[in-house]
Amino acid sequence: MPAFTIWRHPKPRGAQGRCIGGRTDLPVDARKAKRLAHRIRAHARRHRLPREVVTSPLQRAAAVGRWLKRWGFHWHTDTALAEMDFGAWDGRAWADIPPAAFERWMADFNGFGFDGGESLQALMARAAAWQPPCALAVGHGGWITARRWCLERKGQAPSPDAWPAAPAYGRPTSSAPSAA
């Protein structure tokens, strides 16, 4: 498969001001999930793609897959698409994370494991190794950003000041299937 398109899930409920990763499974507004599913269905028609989609198993992405399944798409989930695991930070308010913890993260931007979570280096390896089973996917901002980094800046270690912003909620990103 030469390329695939992955959309970032709709904005989840209850995320404001919090560190939201793979351990915090927040819902999305059903109308927003349906709206994104409509855009994906139109994209599939326009590009004559098979009616198949893979999503992260987390609610904020899977809600879109459920809509597509109702409309005849083959839908499956893949844990490899889950958002970065922020360990003990996951779900906490950013304001409650001590400045010393942020300093530890910035000092080891790629290797820091968020007190029992996943390092950026591990997320990048997971995202780069993933082989899309179909042309359409729904995932998370951190995962998408990590994969794009691996594809566009092969071999370069990211730094805090060079790490790009995640794509907007509900927006597509197209890429090659693997950086490996």
Side-chain angles (χ1 to χ4, degrees), residues 16 35-36 75 82 86 108 119 121 147 153 175-176 178:
Q16 187 68 27
R35 194 174 305 134
L36 179 54
W75 166 55
F86 285 103
D108 186 12
S119 69
Q121 184 176 11
R147 184 164 175 103
R153 302 181 186 208
S175 70
S178 174

PDB file of all heavy atoms in Angstrom, residues 16 35-36 75 82 86 108 119 121 147 153 175-176 178:
ATOM      1  N   GLN A  16      -9.661  19.611  28.555  1.00  0.00           N
ATOM      2  CA  GLN A  16      -9.139  20.956  28.780  1.00  0.00           C
ATOM      3  C   GLN A  16      -8.223  21.023  30.002  1.00  0.00           C
ATOM      4  O   GLN A  16      -8.603  20.639  31.095  1.00  0.00           O
ATOM      5  CB  GLN A  16     -10.304  21.935  28.960  1.00  0.00           C
ATOM      6  CG  GLN A  16      -9.899  23.374  29.030  1.00  0.00           C
ATOM      7  CD  GLN A  16      -9.363  23.889  27.698  1.00  0.00           C
ATOM      8  OE1 GLN A  16      -9.710  23.391  26.648  1.00  0.00           O
ATOM      9  NE2 GLN A  16      -8.498  24.868  27.763  1.00  0.00           N
ATOM     10  N   ARG A  35     -19.709  13.756  12.160  1.00  0.00           N
ATOM     11  CA  ARG A  35     -19.239  14.725  11.169  1.00  0.00           C
ATOM     12  C   ARG A  35     -17.907  14.287  10.563  1.00  0.00           C
ATOM     13  O   ARG A  35     -17.709  14.346   9.354  1.00  0.00           O
ATOM     14  CB  ARG A  35     -19.112  16.103  11.832  1.00  0.00           C
ATOM     15  CG  ARG A  35     -18.964  17.239  10.866  1.00  0.00           C
ATOM     16  CD  ARG A  35     -18.990  18.586  11.575  1.00  0.00           C
ATOM     17  NE  ARG A  35     -20.194  18.725  12.392  1.00  0.00           N
ATOM     18  CZ  ARG A  35     -20.211  19.180  13.645  1.00  0.00           C
ATOM     19  NH1 ARG A  35     -19.099  19.549  14.236  1.00  0.00           N
ATOM     20  NH2 ARG A  35     -21.334  19.280  14.307  1.00  0.00           N
ATOM     21  N   LEU A  36     -16.977  13.827  11.419  1.00  0.00           N
ATOM     22  CA  LEU A  36     -15.693  13.351  10.908  1.00  0.00           C
ATOM     23  C   LEU A  36     -15.881  12.087  10.066  1.00  0.00           C
ATOM     24  O   LEU A  36     -15.265  11.940   9.011  1.00  0.00           O
ATOM     25  CB  LEU A  36     -14.703  13.102  12.046  1.00  0.00           C
ATOM     26  CG  LEU A  36     -13.330  12.575  11.627  1.00  0.00           C
ATOM     27  CD1 LEU A  36     -12.678  13.465  10.573  1.00  0.00           C
ATOM     28  CD2 LEU A  36     -12.427  12.432  12.857  1.00  0.00           C
ATOM     29  N   TRP A  75     -14.569  -2.069   9.856  1.00  0.00           N
ATOM     30  CA  TRP A  75     -13.859  -1.299  10.877  1.00  0.00           C
ATOM     31  C   TRP A  75     -13.160  -2.237  11.845  1.00  0.00           C
ATOM     32  O   TRP A  75     -13.747  -3.219  12.299  1.00  0.00           O
ATOM     33  CB  TRP A  75     -14.833  -0.409  11.640  1.00  0.00           C
ATOM     34  CG  TRP A  75     -14.288   0.174  12.901  1.00  0.00           C
ATOM     35  CD1 TRP A  75     -13.140   0.915  13.043  1.00  0.00           C
ATOM     36  CD2 TRP A  75     -14.845   0.079  14.210  1.00  0.00           C
ATOM     37  NE1 TRP A  75     -12.968   1.288  14.355  1.00  0.00           N
ATOM     38  CE2 TRP A  75     -14.004   0.788  15.090  1.00  0.00           C
ATOM     39  CE3 TRP A  75     -15.978  -0.537  14.721  1.00  0.00           C
ATOM     40  CZ2 TRP A  75     -14.263   0.900  16.461  1.00  0.00           C
ATOM     41  CZ3 TRP A  75     -16.243  -0.415  16.086  1.00  0.00           C
ATOM     42  CH2 TRP A  75     -15.388   0.290  16.927  1.00  0.00           C
ATOM     43  N   ALA A  82      -2.756   3.692  19.478  1.00  0.00           N
ATOM     44  CA  ALA A  82      -3.114   4.414  20.702  1.00  0.00           C
ATOM     45  C   ALA A  82      -2.182   5.599  20.937  1.00  0.00           C
ATOM     46  O   ALA A  82      -1.033   5.618  20.490  1.00  0.00           O
ATOM     47  CB  ALA A  82      -3.080   3.473  21.902  1.00  0.00           C
ATOM     48  N   PHE A  86       1.304   8.465  28.962  1.00  0.00           N
ATOM     49  CA  PHE A  86       1.971   9.453  29.810  1.00  0.00           C
ATOM     50  C   PHE A  86       2.130   8.985  31.254  1.00  0.00           C
ATOM     51  O   PHE A  86       2.371   9.797  32.141  1.00  0.00           O
ATOM     52  CB  PHE A  86       1.233  10.792  29.767  1.00  0.00           C
ATOM     53  CG  PHE A  86       1.450  11.553  28.491  1.00  0.00           C
ATOM     54  CD1 PHE A  86       0.484  11.596  27.514  1.00  0.00           C
ATOM     55  CD2 PHE A  86       2.646  12.222  28.268  1.00  0.00           C
ATOM     56  CE1 PHE A  86       0.678  12.296  26.335  1.00  0.00           C
ATOM     57  CE2 PHE A  86       2.867  12.921  27.092  1.00  0.00           C
ATOM     58  CZ  PHE A  86       1.873  12.961  26.120  1.00  0.00           C
ATOM     59  N   ASP A 108      15.579  15.165  29.294  1.00  0.00           N
ATOM     60  CA  ASP A 108      15.645  13.885  28.587  1.00  0.00           C
ATOM     61  C   ASP A 108      14.393  13.761  27.716  1.00  0.00           C
ATOM     62  O   ASP A 108      13.585  12.847  27.891  1.00  0.00           O
ATOM     63  CB  ASP A 108      15.731  12.741  29.594  1.00  0.00           C
ATOM     64  CG  ASP A 108      15.950  11.381  28.941  1.00  0.00           C
ATOM     65  OD1 ASP A 108      16.266  11.332  27.731  1.00  0.00           O
ATOM     66  OD2 ASP A 108      15.792  10.366  29.644  1.00  0.00           O
ATOM     67  N   SER A 119       8.206   6.509  26.633  1.00  0.00           N
ATOM     68  CA  SER A 119       9.066   7.608  26.201  1.00  0.00           C
ATOM     69  C   SER A 119       8.692   8.027  24.781  1.00  0.00           C
ATOM     70  O   SER A 119       8.084   7.252  24.025  1.00  0.00           O
ATOM     71  CB  SER A 119      10.537   7.190  26.238  1.00  0.00           C
ATOM     72  OG  SER A 119      10.792   6.230  25.227  1.00  0.00           O
ATOM     73  N   GLN A 121      10.798   8.335  22.449  1.00  0.00           N
ATOM     74  CA  GLN A 121      11.575   7.416  21.614  1.00  0.00           C
ATOM     75  C   GLN A 121      10.786   6.127  21.352  1.00  0.00           C
ATOM     76  O   GLN A 121      10.748   5.628  20.230  1.00  0.00           O
ATOM     77  CB  GLN A 121      12.897   7.109  22.305  1.00  0.00           C
ATOM     78  CG  GLN A 121      13.842   6.260  21.524  1.00  0.00           C
ATOM     79  CD  GLN A 121      15.174   6.103  22.262  1.00  0.00           C
ATOM     80  OE1 GLN A 121      15.314   6.456  23.426  1.00  0.00           O
ATOM     81  NE2 GLN A 121      16.150   5.570  21.573  1.00  0.00           N
ATOM     82  N   ARG A 147       4.890   9.910  13.999  1.00  0.00           N
ATOM     83  CA  ARG A 147       5.070   9.232  12.711  1.00  0.00           C
ATOM     84  C   ARG A 147       5.575  10.205  11.645  1.00  0.00           C
ATOM     85  O   ARG A 147       6.476   9.875  10.879  1.00  0.00           O
ATOM     86  CB  ARG A 147       3.773   8.586  12.259  1.00  0.00           C
ATOM     87  CG  ARG A 147       3.981   7.780  10.962  1.00  0.00           C
ATOM     88  CD  ARG A 147       2.836   6.848  10.750  1.00  0.00           C
ATOM     89  NE  ARG A 147       2.935   6.163   9.476  1.00  0.00           N
ATOM     90  CZ  ARG A 147       3.328   4.897   9.334  1.00  0.00           C
ATOM     91  NH1 ARG A 147       3.679   4.189  10.385  1.00  0.00           N
ATOM     92  NH2 ARG A 147       3.367   4.345   8.132  1.00  0.00           N
ATOM     93  N   ARG A 153      12.044  13.401   9.036  1.00  0.00           N
ATOM     94  CA  ARG A 153      13.345  13.742   9.626  1.00  0.00           C
ATOM     95  C   ARG A 153      14.075  12.492  10.076  1.00  0.00           C
ATOM     96  O   ARG A 153      14.550  12.403  11.208  1.00  0.00           O
ATOM     97  CB  ARG A 153      13.143  14.684  10.810  1.00  0.00           C
ATOM     98  CG  ARG A 153      12.412  15.949  10.423  1.00  0.00           C
ATOM     99  CD  ARG A 153      12.264  16.839  11.600  1.00  0.00           C
ATOM    100  NE  ARG A 153      11.444  17.990  11.295  1.00  0.00           N
ATOM    101  CZ  ARG A 153      11.560  19.143  11.888  1.00  0.00           C
ATOM    102  NH1 ARG A 153      12.463  19.316  12.829  1.00  0.00           N
ATOM    103  NH2 ARG A 153      10.781  20.146  11.581  1.00  0.00           N
ATOM    104  N   SER A 175       0.455  10.084   4.465  1.00  0.00           N
ATOM    105  CA  SER A 175       1.856   9.713   4.523  1.00  0.00           C
ATOM    106  C   SER A 175       2.075   8.355   3.876  1.00  0.00           C
ATOM    107  O   SER A 175       1.141   7.638   3.562  1.00  0.00           O
ATOM    108  CB  SER A 175       2.357   9.678   5.973  1.00  0.00           C
ATOM    109  OG  SER A 175       1.790   8.601   6.670  1.00  0.00           O
ATOM    110  N   ALA A 176       3.349   8.027   3.766  1.00  0.00           N
ATOM    111  CA  ALA A 176       3.735   6.699   3.304  1.00  0.00           C
ATOM    112  C   ALA A 176       3.434   5.718   4.432  1.00  0.00           C
ATOM    113  O   ALA A 176       3.329   6.096   5.584  1.00  0.00           O
ATOM    114  CB  ALA A 176       5.216   6.677   2.951  1.00  0.00           C
ATOM    115  N   SER A 178       5.230   3.411   5.960  1.00  0.00           N
ATOM    116  CA  SER A 178       6.229   3.081   6.968  1.00  0.00           C
ATOM    117  C   SER A 178       7.495   3.870   6.773  1.00  0.00           C
ATOM    118  O   SER A 178       7.925   4.104   5.649  1.00  0.00           O
ATOM    119  CB  SER A 178       6.553   1.596   6.931  1.00  0.00           C
ATOM    120  OG  SER A 178       7.609   1.295   7.814  1.00  0.00           O
TER     121      SER A 178
END
